[in-house]
Amino acid sequence: MAGENLVEVSNLKKQYGNFTAVDGVSFQIRKGEIFGLLGPNGAGKTSSIHILAGIFPPTSGEVQIAGYDIRKGLNDIKKIIGIVPQELAIYPRLTGQENLEFFGELYGLQGNPLKERVEETLALVGLSERASSRAETYSGGMKRRLNLAAGLMHRPQLLLLDEPTVGVDPQSRNHVFEGVRELNRQGLTVLYTSHYMEEVEALCDRVGIMDAGRLVACDTVPNLIASMGSARIEVGVGKAEAEEKFLNRLRNLEGVRTVEVVHSEEANSLHIGAPRPSEVLPSVISTMNDSALSLLSLQIKQPNLEDVFLSLTGKSLRD
């Protein structure tokens, strides 16, 4: 991962009437990295992508891509970025090959260079065998892969991927993943938006977490997870209510940092935060045995990106 910034976004804001879709967002994307924007639908990810692509102007704030200002150098920016939108931007009655020839010609490719680029790009997304089939005959996942290929025809420096795997089958998702990884190995910088935790964990060098138009955290996945601190012991106690006296006993155990009661319609559980949970576990079980509470389930859970998101936003991506 290189150190020089290809993208610099400062205090970006986008308003639609009285609605603020992007609210003071700032981040940088280094040359050669895969940068992820993680958040639920409506978090502001797509609006941010649209601004970087020059589709909509920002209400306020600054955006620079490869040294060009988004307001003054948009024509230069469009030559060096590729965008793969959520909505399919392909022509169903054209074949896969014809679609890519069309997009390649828009960027000035002709003759053998165009032919070679079409073949390379079809191979990259695993569609060579279906090159002569109309796009309307493709599966949903294949259409997504062709959509990706269209954004790559002019060899962009920066690829903007907006939820590229929504609704695709596992095989097509893997094709997209491998294609993105291979392009990144070749030096392509990628901005990848998603509301799938596992995608950004698998692909991204750094992740910005967005919620309600704001960027609430930005770092590598290991650093974001490390910010959670302790692992935790999760103890199922059924419908029983833990008395405060008992909870205080748990809190006073050596090695325990936090004790939280989590209520649900099905059962209650205790979440016991501890840096070394395996060392604390015997004391927890002993304390449980001394109480009137029955231990129905027990597991040690290491913090993950979902825990980070829940801690920062107060909700799950599934909400």
Side-chain angles (χ1 to χ4, degrees):
M1 182 167 50
E4 184 181 352
N5 291 333
L6 181 66
V7 178
E8 297 193 9
V9 176
S10 178
N11 201 28
L12 185 65
K13 182 174 286 190
K14 181 62 180 178
Q15 292 180 292
Y16 300 95
N18 294 326
F19 175 69
T20 301
V22 182
D23 191 4
V25 166
S26 298
F27 61 85
Q28 297 80 40
I29 303 176
R30 300 165 188 151
K31 282 187 177 180
E33 80 171 330
I34 303 176
F35 182 85
L37 283 179
L38 175 69
N41 293 331
K45 307 186 304 296
T46 296
S47 290
S48 299
I49 285 265
H50 285 169
I51 292 170
L52 267 63
I55 297 172
F56 299 125
T59 302
S60 62
E62 303 296 329
V63 176
Q64 288 200 348
I65 300 177
Y68 297 110
D69 184 276
I70 198 74
R71 288 186 172 89
K72 301 175 183 177
L74 186 55
N75 288 337
D76 293 304
I77 288 174
K78 287 184 175 181
K79 295 175 184 177
I80 60 175
I81 66 170
I83 181 169
V84 180
Q86 283 189 47
E87 301 298 327
L88 293 173
I90 56 176
Y91 293 92
R93 296 186 64 81
L94 297 181
T95 67
Q97 178 177 328
E98 289 168 344
N99 265 283
L100 297 191
E101 287 173 346
F102 171 75
F103 286 106
E105 287 173 354
L106 289 179
Y107 283 97
L109 293 175
Q110 294 180 344
N112 285 333
L114 174 61
K115 180 181 177 182
E116 291 172 2
R117 185 56 181 163
V118 168
E119 291 175 354
E120 290 172 359
T121 310
L122 285 169
L124 178 68
V125 298
L127 290 176
S128 297
E129 294 182 0
R130 295 294 302 275
S132 58
S133 300
R134 286 186 177 183
E136 63 188 359
T137 68
Y138 287 7
S139 68
M142 293 170 68
K143 290 176 181 176
R144 284 281 174 188
R145 284 147 56 190
L146 184 61
N147 207 41
L148 170 62
L152 295 170
M153 281 300 297
H154 59 300
R155 291 187 174 88
Q157 294 182 40
L158 172 67
L159 183 65
L160 307 175
L161 289 172
D162 191 14
E163 303 273 8
T165 63
V166 170
V168 307
D169 57 273
Q171 182 182 13
S172 290
R173 181 173 291 189
N174 288 335
H175 271 296
V176 171
F177 282 6
E178 289 308 312
V180 171
R181 289 190 182 103
E182 177 57 31
L183 289 163
N184 182 246
R185 283 192 287 267
Q186 296 173 12
L188 181 67
T189 304
V190 180
L191 172 56
Y192 191 102
T193 81
S194 181
H195 62 269
Y196 296 128
M197 298 280 182
E198 67 275 13
E199 291 192 357
V200 297
E201 285 191 88
L203 287 174
C204 298
D205 299 301
R206 290 187 304 128
V207 177
I209 295 178
M210 291 195 73
D211 183 46
R214 296 184 178 183
L215 193 71
V216 296
C218 183
D219 210 329
T220 64
V221 172
N223 285 347
L224 288 169
I225 293 174
S227 70
M228 290 294 297
S230 304
R232 71 173 180 255
I233 302 168
E234 295 187 0
V235 181
V237 294
K239 285 292 188 179
E241 291 292 337
E243 296 182 0
E244 192 63 26
K245 181 179 178 180
F246 165 71
L247 296 176
N248 286 333
R249 288 182 63 189
L250 287 178
R251 293 186 181 105
N252 290 330
L253 291 176
E254 184 177 354
V256 170
R257 285 188 177 175
T258 60
V259 176
E260 179 185 6
V261 182
V262 179
H263 300 279
S264 70
E265 292 183 2
E266 295 79 19
N268 296 330
S269 62
L270 305 178
H271 290 186
I272 303 166
R276 297 179 177 86
S278 60
E279 295 180 8
V280 172
L281 188 56
S283 299
V284 170
I285 294 175
S286 177
T287 305
M288 294 286 295
N289 288 336
D290 292 340
S291 74
L293 289 176
S294 297
L295 191 157
L296 301 182
S297 64
L298 186 149
Q299 63 175 325
I300 295 176
K301 186 175 180 181
Q302 298 294 332
N304 57 27
L305 194 57
E306 186 166 4
D307 295 317
V308 176
F309 190 88
L310 184 62
S311 173
L312 290 170
T313 67
K315 57 178 176 284
S316 167
L317 275 179
R318 293 183 293 274
D319 287 350

